[in-house]
Amino acid sequence: MNIHEYQAKELLRSYGVAVPAGNVAFSDSQAQAVAEQIGGQRWVVKAQIHAGGRGKAGGVKVADSIEEVGRITDEMIGMNLVTHQTGPQGRVVKRILVEEASDIQNELYLSFVIDRATQRVTIVASREGGTEIEEVASHSPEKIITETIDPALGLADFQCRKVAAALGMNDKTRMTQLVRIMKRLYRCFRDKDALQVEINPLAQVAGDKLICLDAKFNFDDNALYRHPDINELRDLEEEDPKEVEASGHDLNYIALDGDIGCIVNGAGLAMATMDAITLHDGKPANFLDVGGGASPEKVTNACRIVMEDPNVKALLINIFAGINRCDWIATGLIQAYTTLNIDLPMVVRLAGTNVEEGRKILEESKLPFLQADNLDDAAAKAVATVKGEQT
Ligand code: GDP
Ligand code: MN
């Protein structure tokens, strides 16, 4: 799960990490009030969306007067911001962060991330801050510094000093600050079960002060149950509405970009279904995992959510029932068909518990379900109906 930049900065502030004075605003008058409260002569107005690359896309602007803060905010709120991380459809800006502007002397990159290869929290740092780290990694990988943290020993002082020295922060003032920032970031990372914290840029400003000008957090969804304070920061408007609705019904929904809507049980079957569709030259529009013991109501909800995607031209229901019961799935499909007025082809492959009853229920309904004998047959039929429709 991601949080907004201003929330990330509040979290960092609570750990004693230096961030600029600032606050969130939802309107131009609020933004001006924030600017007045901060004081000073220059402010930065930053679009709060769960995507980076805002600077280049017009989502970070400097204002020289309170009036300008209002003007920029007015322009920014409601705008559709397209950055290299949002995809071409962009994101509508609903809130902004107003903060004191900093005079940047030097921009560094500093992040903590779980490295899958070593299965350890790893520091990734670079002198080339402010730019996309992916660019630095591909053009000049030697400019990326990494340091692996032993989970039993924790982050040692010598490791912090090593990274600080490699970043050119050799003098006592900056070294001391950077070591302290790294230790506090690591403590926060561990405390909150983060997967990543990225500070880009970590800026050197007047008086050789180091300050986090941008902060991004990613938290482990599976650990959120023990962090209600973090879970509360979740902004559902930044997530795919169908995924949010699905999770409300205890269903897992993943949006993709093809035209065959897939209802399956289990992540493994989802992957196999995707492979089968792809083998037949088709493309899945999404995946909805109904999990185990799915009731007819759950199946009906699943059909509704999958069909909300306008790209869906056919449904493929692929259930290998163990804990699930094919008769319940079939009853749910009939309920969906009649209550939702489905006019799309529905290919159904049932296997496992109560399969005979399930198939019989579908047959006796006299509804136009296309039953399939196996996964391959199901994928072939789904792709054929979609292609048939297009020609
Ligand atoms: P991102 O593009 O979404 O990563 O947004 P950032 O918060 O990193 O801002 C992008 C760039 O704007 C930074 O790399 C800085 O160069 C610049 N910037 C951000 N805040 C300030 C500020 O307070 N003063 C100045 N002069 N530049 C800033
Ligand atoms: Mn940034």
Side-chain angles (χ1 to χ4, degrees), residues 5 9 42 44 46 51-56 60 62 99-104 107 130-131 200-201 213-214:
E5 178 195 5
K9 283 176 168 168
R42 284 174 77 228
V44 187
K46 307 179 76 177
R54 298 163 300 167
K56 280 186 200 155
V60 177
V62 177
E99 60 184 19
E100 61 180 327
S102 309
D103 283 324
I104 304 174
E107 297 187 59
T131 47
N200 188 21
L213 281 197
D214 188 16

Side-chain angles (χ1 to χ4, degrees), residues 181-390:
I181 290 172
M182 281 191 248
K183 296 217 122 188
R184 290 175 179 179
L185 283 177
Y186 181 63
R187 184 167 347 120
C188 178
F189 187 102
R190 290 287 308 268
D191 283 357
K192 304 296 182 191
D193 288 309
L195 297 175
Q196 185 180 25
V197 52
E198 184 184 62
I199 312 297
N200 188 21
L202 171 66
Q204 180 183 328
V205 298
D208 283 348
K209 214 173 157 272
L210 294 178
I211 182 164
C212 300
L213 281 197
D214 188 16
K216 185 181 166 189
F217 268 97
N218 191 4
F219 298 97
D220 184 349
D221 289 341
N222 294 318
L224 282 176
Y225 72 95
R226 57 183 186 190
H227 302 293
D229 56 330
I230 301 293
N231 196 37
E232 210 167 79
L233 303 178
R234 193 166 171 188
D235 181 356
L236 296 180
E237 290 190 5
E238 287 287 321
E239 298 178 21
D240 185 306
K242 292 192 288 302
E243 291 185 16
V244 173
E245 196 196 345
S247 74
H249 293 292
D250 202 21
L251 298 161
N252 278 313
Y253 175 92
I254 307 289
L256 299 166
D257 57 6
D259 50 16
I260 299 174
C262 301
I263 295 174
V264 298
N265 66 309
L269 198 59
M271 298 304 226
T273 307
M274 170 135 106
D275 284 350
I277 291 173
T278 311
L279 267 172
H280 286 280
D281 277 337
K283 281 183 98 184
N286 47 47
F287 271 105
L288 199 143
D289 178 1
V290 295
S295 64
E297 284 65 39
K298 216 167 169 183
V299 174
T300 308
N301 280 324
C303 290
R304 187 168 44 73
I305 292 166
V306 166
M307 288 198 323
E308 273 166 21
D309 178 348
N311 294 324
V312 170
K313 298 208 176 66
L315 292 180
L316 170 51
I317 295 97
N318 185 19
I319 302 290
F320 199 116
I323 305 168
N324 275 308
R325 295 173 46 166
C326 290
D327 50 333
W328 282 15
I329 302 282
T331 309
L333 291 175
I334 292 167
Q335 213 175 82
Y337 201 98
T338 47
T339 58
L340 304 174
N341 301 319
I342 296 181
D343 59 355
L344 298 174
M346 287 173 90
V347 180
V348 187
R349 181 262 179 155
L350 298 175
T353 310
N354 295 353
V355 62
E356 294 310 327
E357 288 95 312
R359 288 192 180 156
K360 208 165 142 222
I361 290 170
L362 290 183
E363 256 160 46
E364 288 175 354
S365 73
K366 304 276 184 257
L367 294 170
F369 294 110
L370 292 161
Q371 294 215 51
D373 296 329
N374 54 48
L375 172 51
D376 190 61
D377 184 31
K381 281 183 169 140
V383 174
T385 58
V386 166
K387 296 215 162 137
E389 260 195 11
Q390 282 168 347

Side-chain angles (χ1 to χ4, degrees), residues 30 45 85 96 112-113 128 136 153 227 229 275 305 340 382:
Q30 269 181 10
V45 179
Q85 287 188 6
I96 54 102
F112 287 70
V113 63
E128 305 279 308
V136 181
L153 301 175
H227 302 293
D229 56 330
D275 284 350
I305 292 166
L340 304 174

Side-chain angles (χ1 to χ4, degrees), residues 8-22:
K9 283 176 168 168
E10 273 167 29
L11 182 59
L12 292 178
R13 196 180 280 128
S14 75
Y15 274 80
V17 177
V19 293

